[in-house]
Amino acid sequence: MTIEVRAASVFDDVRSMVGPKRPDANVCWCLSYRIPSKENLALHGTARGERVRELCREDPPPGVLAYDGDEVVGWAGVHPRADTGFARNRKIPHVDELDVWSIWCIRVRPGHRGTGISHELVAGAVAFAREHGAPAIEAYPVDNRGDKVDLTMAYVGTRALFERAGFTKAADTDSVLNGFPRVLMRLDLR
């Protein structure tokens, strides 16, 4: 298996990873951290997908996708922190004033989990941020100390995943997910 990670500019491919089975369903679409909370709460049904379609047309698009040949097998939400909910999040601290990028979501298609795609997505997100001039990149995974994380909450990743990608713990947070504390992991790209 050869995985290629590319910018998430093809809406249909993004929809295959984060969209609902029914277009009118009110699912996340990976918007909850990407757009302001008020806008996120106001969008319903098909308007959510249309907002993602708009984001896919922007430069940079809202994240990266992992492909195994022509098949989309993974997604990572990554963008400048200033354009995400983390810019105003009171539970996730700002380490300094650098214009860092954030990784907030990692998803791997069922049937492909446990094959290293998460690692490829993190590496691809780092490369994407670097290509767009990011001085540093952050993530806010759970510090689960090897304990099992509920699959529905695993989208933030684990501390170990980011450590293997060269990130280091930069700060504790006041955020808890699935009973685990979240930590701020950072990688300098300068």
Side-chain angles (χ1 to χ4, degrees), residues 86 88-94 172-176 182:
F86 296 108
R88 298 163 299 284
N89 190 310
R90 288 174 284 177
K91 293 185 176 194
I92 307 285
H94 289 224
D172 289 313
T173 76
D174 292 328
S175 181
V176 175
R182 292 176 75 179

Side-chain angles (χ1 to χ4, degrees), residues 145-158:
R145 298 178 182 88
D147 291 341
K148 186 159 177 58
V149 178
D150 181 277
L151 197 54
T152 60
M153 296 296 148
Y155 71 94
V156 298
T158 62

Side-chain angles (χ1 to χ4, degrees), residues 80-152:
R81 181 180 63 195
D83 295 339
T84 72
F86 296 108
R88 298 163 299 284
N89 190 310
R90 288 174 284 177
K91 293 185 176 194
I92 307 285
H94 289 224
V95 174
D96 53 35
E97 297 305 313
L98 276 182
D99 190 17
V100 301
W101 282 47
S102 297
I103 300 173
W104 64 88
C105 179
I106 298 171
R107 293 190 63 182
V108 175
R109 187 177 299 287
H112 298 275
R113 295 181 180 136
T115 62
I117 293 171
S118 292
H119 301 279
E120 298 284 347
L121 283 163
V122 171
V126 167
F128 182 69
R130 182 178 276 127
E131 289 165 12
H132 285 85
I137 188 166
E138 295 179 344
Y140 319 104
V142 292
D143 190 357
N144 63 324
R145 298 178 182 88
D147 291 341
K148 186 159 177 58
V149 178
D150 181 277
L151 197 54
T152 60

